[in-house]
Amino acid sequence: MYEIVEKNKLAPEIFHFEVKAPEIAAKAQAGHFLILRAVEKAERIPLTIADYDREQGTIDIVVQEVGYSSQQICDFEEGEAFLDVVAPLGNPIETEDYDRVICVAGGLGAAPLYPKVKSLVDHGAEVTTILGAQRAEKLIWEDRFADLSEDLYIATDDGSRGTEGFVTNVLEELLSEDNDYDAVIAIGPMIMMQAVSDLTAEYDLKTIVSLNTLMVDGTGMCGGCRVTVGEETKFACVDGPAFDGHEVDFEEQRRRKKFYEEHEEEIEEHHVGGEGCRVQAK
Amino acid sequence: MSKQSRTEMEELDPRVRVNNFAEVAQGYTPEQAVKEAKRCLQCADPKCMEGCPVQIDIPDFIELIAEEKFDAAAEKIKEKNNLPAICGRVCPQEDQCELKCVLESTGEPIAIGRLERFAANYGEDEVTKPVQDKGKVAVVGAGPAGLTAAADLAKMGYKVTVFESFHEAGGVLKYGIPEFRLPKEVVQEEIDQIKKLGVEIQLNKVVGKIKSVDELMEQEGYQAVFVGTGAGLPKFLGLEGENLNGVYSANEFLTRVNLMKAYKFPEYKTPVYVGNKVAVIGGGNVAMDAARTALRLGAEESMIVYRRSREQMPAREEEIEHAEEEGIQFQLLRNPTKILGNEDGFVTGLECIKMELGEPDDSGRRRPIAIEGSEFEMDADMVIMAIGQNPNPILLDDSPEIETTDWGTIKTDEVGQTTKEGVFAGGDIVTGAATVIEAMGAGKDAAEAIDEYIQSKDDN
Ligand SMILES: Cc1cc2nc3c(=O)[nH]c(=O)nc-3n(C[C@H](O)[C@H](O)[C@H](O)COP(=O)(O)OP(=O)(O)OC[C@H]3O[C@@H](n4cnc5c(N)ncnc54)[C@H](O)[C@@H]3O)c2cc1C
Ligand SMILES: Cc1cc2nc3c(=O)[nH]c(=O)nc-3n(C[C@H](O)[C@H](O)[C@H](O)COP(=O)(O)OP(=O)(O)OC[C@H]3O[C@@H](n4cnc5c(N)ncnc54)[C@H](O)[C@@H]3O)c2cc1C
Ligand code: SF4
Ligand code: SF4
Ligand code: FES
Ligand SMILES: [Mg+2]
């Protein structure tokens, strides 16, 4: 069992958990993810290791409620424990060879982006960060990024904070002034990563995206996380989850993520007046 | 000499069973078991034993059943086999012990597997934990190979820890072979027996990620490591349309259904997609399991698409028959060339080419050859790839000293010693996808070799 030592609400529908897992904390690196099964009947849900503390033996996850399973995770409280956590999975991201990098996050993407920025800065890179969200209250960890970044830009869809509009607007402005960067790292909704990659392709600027495909095992065993990267089929769990954004077939990924839409509706129906059920499920 | 024919075993009516996941083969009643056991000739030189990779004392346990000493029969089997309820169900007996039985030539060999399954219901539940002071051994992978090695080493007096990447032990027995052939409760009971021997199973531990083989040996003090990580890597054909929604590897489909219990969705939260017209590509046990599972989940039609003919299908005859009884269709001498889809990215059909049989190839089977220009399309809204699995490299990526073959399997000598000192391997990771009992046999041999290795080091 993996005990929750701290829980915070970061934004509407977004929660941060610090979880006791000393063995995982000892091995975690920026770019790794975990798979969590909250209770016996739950799905195996992939989540990025957003931070870790080797001394305390804890790992951090940030979870956004998007469907039944992520809500079920977010219903857990301090002192309770998740049934299964397997990690570290995936490949750590290379952060050693960069001097200047732009890091872009959309919404919840800020959480998985954070360990990468931290690692880049640890290795001496100068990081410019662009955080985007629908509206001001949905921004997460702005303070953490402010501490680490050379420059921090904010964009919200409704203009309630920072520039009004998308992160790509800010990025375009930055690049048109100065494109002397080694790379862009973009994490967020598929559509946002695609837009960033399309933009940076014009500048011939290396772009790394982190894919949140559907997954089951996370160890290369099922192929459910298939993604076409530069004409080749890759498994996001063992070959990624980070890939060259200019090579990823985003259209295919967007279609694949709709695979279980009808099932999601069925779960919601099954749990109408669902609170009771959810508590029972624990 | 006994002229009686094999005692039949009850099976669920195909019309009933296609609607549920209940076990198809019902097992012998005590009367049936005794009747079958009495047919055994108690050969002085029992050939049947040569066919059993774990060397069960077959005539002795059968005699005990004939004498209605069921508990003793169970104990006799367990001297050699820690997973009798499993082997009695899924061993390809017709190619192993029963093939070697002297009565085989009459077409009525003793039903050794059914008797073994029957006896497994009996015997002492309480196992005494052996004294474990001979040293520490790590086992990677809780499939039949790893579990067998662990149980044998524990009995020899070693403290054994098994590391398993999934949240449940059992390997293919849990995630691959369906409930209707091998109830998961049966598997778990046998695993619990192994735990009672003092074997510790650590779940959610991917060796090669959370720790390396070197760390296990150098930092955690394991004197030897057994690698039984199986052949878990799904193969795809590289066809156009293979990433469409509705195309699964058999591994994914079966894992969702068996391990994650998607057949009980939405009570269990893992979804599985099931089409109305399902095409399963392949002709082995895995293909039969996938096709039969799809039918039980509500597919209107479920078919096997196989590039050779029926005689050459690698699946067990019994499984092919079960599939036929349930109404699985067989599209033989057909090979898929393309998967067709719609704008939303879902499968709508399959393009296949017709095949004919040519000269025998290396495997001795006649080689399938495509008939030029014979491509045709067929409707399908789900495609399952059951064309084999490759060895799982996740541990090996982290341990370059363990050499592999061109096929990615681990190189070992006859007893399972790898190219790295103190590291042994067995099961599908060494042979490529094979059988439960061969994996167990390899686990057994390796356990002995590990004992010898550790003892010889201690002597120095
Ligand atoms: C490597 C990796 C890292 C991730 N890191 C995080 C993270 O740090 N925080 C976080 O909140 N989420 C993260 N995700 C996404 C998270 O796994 C999904 O949001 C979650 O599985 C949705 O499950 P659900 O049942 O709540 O939603 P559903 O009702 O099943 O689906 C809601 C929506 O999410 C999509 N979805 C469903 N399952 C997944 C999935 N496994 N991955 C991605 N999208 C999915 C569906 O297509 C749908 O659009 C990550 C995914 C991957 C693969
Ligand atoms: C659908 C299906 C049906 C089958 N039907 C039959 C049948 O009827 N009869 C028969 O005899 N055989 C059958 N087989 C074959 C048989 O199941 C296998 O040959 C056998 O399970 C191999 O055993 P194993 O212990 O080598 O590997 P597996 O059973 O594959 O177990 C390997 C275990 O290692 C774990 N693992 C992998 N990598 C790591 C790592 N790095 N760290 C920790 N753990 C790891 C895996 O999660 C898994 O639990 C079938 C196979 C399939 C897929
Ligand atoms: S373990 Fe398998 S091969 Fe051995 S006797 Fe039993 S059924 Fe036959
Ligand atoms: S070979 Fe057949 S008849 Fe002879 S002992 Fe074995 S099972 Fe009995
Ligand atoms: S999640 Fe199963 S292969 Fe990647
Ligand atoms: Mg879900």
Side-chain angles (χ1 to χ4, degrees):
Chain A
M1 298 290 276
Y2 298 80
E3 195 198 330
I4 297 160
V5 293
E6 203 184 310
K7 177 185 181 185
N8 305 296
K9 184 170 188 168
L10 299 184
E13 285 147 27
I14 300 180
F15 296 87
H16 164 230
F17 295 91
E18 203 178 299
V19 181
K20 193 102 196 142
E23 276 194 312
I24 298 173
K27 281 295 170 76
Q29 291 180 57
H32 278 143
F33 68 94
L34 53 76
I35 288 188
L36 187 153
R37 193 174 73 128
V39 298
E40 169 68 27
K41 294 179 180 175
E43 280 185 271
R44 290 169 63 96
I45 296 292
L47 298 163
T48 305
I49 300 179
D51 203 0
Y52 47 83
D53 185 330
R54 299 205 209 279
E55 266 92 69
Q56 302 290 318
T58 55
I59 51 172
D60 297 65
I61 50 173
V62 176
V63 190
Q64 177 166 30
E65 297 179 334
V66 294
Y68 180 85
S69 299
S70 45
Q71 269 170 30
Q72 183 177 44
I73 295 169
C74 290
D75 282 349
F76 274 70
E77 301 297 343
E78 278 173 22
E80 296 182 315
F82 297 122
L83 183 58
D84 295 300
V85 177
V86 56
L89 299 173
N91 298 298
I93 193 160
E94 285 294 329
T95 50
E96 282 162 31
D97 302 328
Y98 300 110
D99 294 324
R100 283 185 89 216
V101 182
I102 304 185
C103 290
V104 192
L108 187 273
L113 184 67
Y114 174 71
K116 283 124 199 156
V117 173
K118 199 166 148 184
S119 176
L120 283 164
V121 172
D122 281 348
H123 288 102
E126 187 187 298
V127 176
T128 298
T129 305
I130 309 173
L131 293 185
Q134 288 165 337
R135 49 185 201 278
E137 59 170 352
K138 290 215 140 187
L139 285 162
I140 57 172
W141 281 356
E142 193 184 328
D143 52 337
R144 289 192 178 208
F145 286 100
D147 286 348
L148 289 171
S149 313
E150 199 67 21
D151 289 301
L152 172 66
Y153 299 88
I154 308 275
T156 50
D157 296 0
D158 66 355
S160 52
R161 215 43 197 89
T163 319
E164 180 175 335
F166 298 133
V167 285
T168 38
N169 300 350
V170 181
L171 181 62
E172 179 147 40
E173 212 164 297
L174 287 180
L175 292 179
S176 63
E177 278 166 25
D178 157 17
N179 76 25
D180 189 19
Y181 295 95
D182 304 315
V184 170
I185 300 180
I187 307 183
M190 216 54 97
I191 187 97
M192 167 260 175
M193 293 191 283
Q194 182 174 16
V196 168
S197 301
D198 287 349
L199 176 63
T200 55
E202 290 171 29
Y203 292 88
D204 205 11
L205 181 54
K206 174 172 175 178
T207 298
I208 300 158
V209 298
S210 186
L211 298 183
N212 52 349
T213 57
L214 302 177
M215 290 189 179
V216 182
D217 58 298
T219 60
M221 235 203 57
C222 74
C225 60
R226 305 202 285 296
V227 47
T228 303
V229 181
E231 316 281 292
E232 256 184 273
T233 293
K234 300 278 185 188
F235 290 2
C237 66
V238 286
D239 299 323
F243 291 102
D244 179 344
H246 297 148
E247 302 270 312
V248 170
D249 184 342
F250 287 105
E251 299 294 336
E252 175 187 274
Q253 274 316 298
R254 281 221 298 282
R255 288 194 297 265
R256 285 187 69 78
K257 294 196 74 171
K258 295 207 172 114
F259 196 0
Y260 299 105
E261 248 173 13
E262 283 179 20
H263 291 81
E264 285 158 23
E265 284 163 22
E266 202 181 322
I267 286 202
E268 293 304 325
E269 281 163 24
H270 181 75
H271 289 273
V272 189
E275 284 315 305
C277 273
R278 225 176 275 159
V279 174
Q280 239 177 13
K282 270 188 211 175
Chain B
M1 192 163 156
S2 156
K3 287 267 161 48
Q4 261 176 348
S5 54
R6 262 160 87 98
T7 313
E8 287 303 319
M9 177 170 55
E10 298 290 324
E11 290 180 353
L12 287 186
D13 185 323
R15 281 164 306 181
V16 175
R17 71 189 195 225
V18 293
N19 295 312
N20 62 42
F21 279 78
E23 192 174 11
V24 169
Q26 299 284 287
Y28 278 158
T29 61
E31 297 71 39
Q32 288 169 325
V34 170
K35 182 171 167 226
E36 180 66 11
K38 285 186 172 155
R39 287 179 54 228
C40 171
L41 306 179
Q42 293 296 320
C43 306
D45 175 21
K47 295 289 178 211
C48 50
M49 285 177 67
E50 290 169 17
C52 174
V54 296
Q55 291 282 300
I56 292 179
D57 197 334
I58 296 171
D60 276 17
F61 99 76
I62 293 184
E63 186 166 37
L64 288 164
I65 293 179
E67 293 166 0
E68 297 186 38
K69 292 177 186 154
F70 302 146
D71 284 342
E75 297 311 321
K76 179 54 72 189
I77 296 170
K78 283 177 194 162
E79 283 172 13
K80 291 291 167 63
N81 184 347
N82 291 299
L83 307 171
I86 295 166
C87 292
R89 285 171 168 85
V90 302
C91 255
Q93 293 105 12
E94 65 280 9
D95 296 328
Q96 313 228 248
C97 50
E98 294 178 15
L99 179 68
K100 295 283 165 72
C101 172
V102 288
L103 295 175
E104 211 276 336
S105 56
T106 68
E108 305 276 348
I110 301 296
I112 302 169
R114 292 173 185 177
L115 289 171
E116 182 175 347
R117 169 181 168 174
F118 169 78
N121 295 329
Y122 295 85
E124 278 294 308
D125 260 2
E126 283 323 303
V127 193
T128 33
K129 185 183 149 192
V131 182
Q132 280 156 354
D133 57 3
K134 280 173 87 180
K136 270 174 76 177
V137 180
V139 169
V140 186
L147 289 171
T148 302
D152 278 18
L153 285 161
K155 287 183 189 165
M156 289 174 196
Y158 292 93
K159 181 84 203 77
V160 186
T161 309
V162 180
F163 298 93
E164 165 57 45
S165 54
F166 265 129
H167 57 260
E168 281 191 31
V172 172
L173 307 176
K174 279 279 183 67
Y175 76 73
I177 305 180
E179 180 78 15
F180 56 83
R181 278 215 290 134
L182 181 62
K184 300 310 141 206
E185 214 172 87
V186 169
V187 179
Q188 191 56 46
E189 274 167 22
E190 299 211 327
I191 292 169
D192 290 342
Q193 290 298 105
I194 290 174
K195 286 204 255 181
K196 287 187 194 152
L197 291 170
V199 171
E200 185 199 352
I201 304 182
Q202 291 197 19
L203 302 170
N204 299 312
K205 297 283 158 63
V206 185
V207 174
K209 288 289 187 183
I210 189 81
K211 49 190 81 196
S212 64
V213 170
D214 278 338
E215 282 168 311
L216 289 172
M217 298 178 83
E218 283 155 27
Q219 289 165 26
E220 301 194 11
Y222 291 100
Q223 288 152 284
V225 176
F226 176 76
V227 179
T229 47
L233 214 67
K235 284 190 201 166
F236 287 92
L237 286 168
L239 300 179
E240 187 181 327
E242 220 164 24
N243 292 348
L244 288 164
N245 293 348
V247 183
Y248 277 120
S249 72
N251 268 7
E252 179 177 4
F253 178 63
L254 292 170
T255 301
R256 282 179 181 271
V257 178
N258 296 323
L259 183 73
M260 305 310 294
K261 303 209 167 18
Y263 67 96
K264 294 187 188 164
F265 182 88
E267 181 197 348
Y268 283 76
K269 305 303 175 206
T270 302
V272 68
Y273 178 88
V274 185
N276 288 322
K277 205 164 172 175
V278 180
V280 179
I281 317 299
N285 285 323
V286 183
M288 298 306 141
D289 283 345
R292 297 172 69 197
T293 297
L295 208 60
R296 282 165 172 73
L297 289 170
E300 278 157 28
E301 275 179 57
S302 180
M303 59 188 161
I304 295 280
V305 179
Y306 181 56
R307 64 198 179 114
R308 303 184 196 236
S309 62
R310 191 185 189 284
E311 294 69 52
Q312 293 152 319
M313 276 201 275
R316 291 182 66 188
E317 181 58 31
E318 182 183 315
E319 299 309 322
I320 299 172
E321 281 167 18
H322 280 151
E324 283 172 338
E325 286 164 17
E326 289 168 13
I328 304 289
Q329 296 161 29
F330 288 79
Q331 297 276 353
L332 301 169
L333 293 164
R334 303 276 184 270
N335 206 23
T337 45
K338 196 195 280 185
I339 301 171
L340 313 166
N342 62 20
E343 285 156 24
D344 298 331
F346 281 78
V347 173
T348 56
L350 200 59
E351 184 193 89
C352 290
I353 189 161
K354 293 184 184 162
M355 312 290 283
E356 61 190 355
L357 293 178
E359 295 297 305
D361 64 11
D362 297 343
S363 73
R365 297 184 299 177
R366 290 177 65 194
R367 188 196 307 272
I369 303 167
I371 303 171
E372 223 176 299
S374 67
E375 286 90 348
F376 66 100
E377 289 181 5
M378 57 196 209
D379 288 343
D381 51 6
M382 176 170 184
V383 177
I384 302 172
M385 294 291 168
I387 50 172
Q389 291 103 240
N390 287 323
N392 195 328
I394 218 166
L395 169 141
L396 300 167
D397 289 348
D398 205 45
S399 299
E401 287 164 76
I402 304 175
E403 283 178 31
T404 54
T405 67
D406 291 346
W407 299 274
T409 54
I410 296 181
K411 280 188 198 167
T412 66
D413 65 13
E414 325 71 71
V415 295
Q417 166 72 53
T418 69
T419 50
K420 184 175 166 72
E421 198 194 324
V423 180
F424 297 75
D428 282 3
I429 187 70
V430 171
T431 55
T435 64
V436 173
I437 195 63
E438 283 169 290
M440 290 177 60
K444 233 178 171 46
D445 292 347
E448 261 174 46
I450 288 170
D451 181 39
E452 238 166 71
Y453 165 76
I454 293 178
Q455 295 314 314
S456 72
K457 280 204 89 168
D458 285 355
D459 290 346
N460 295 332

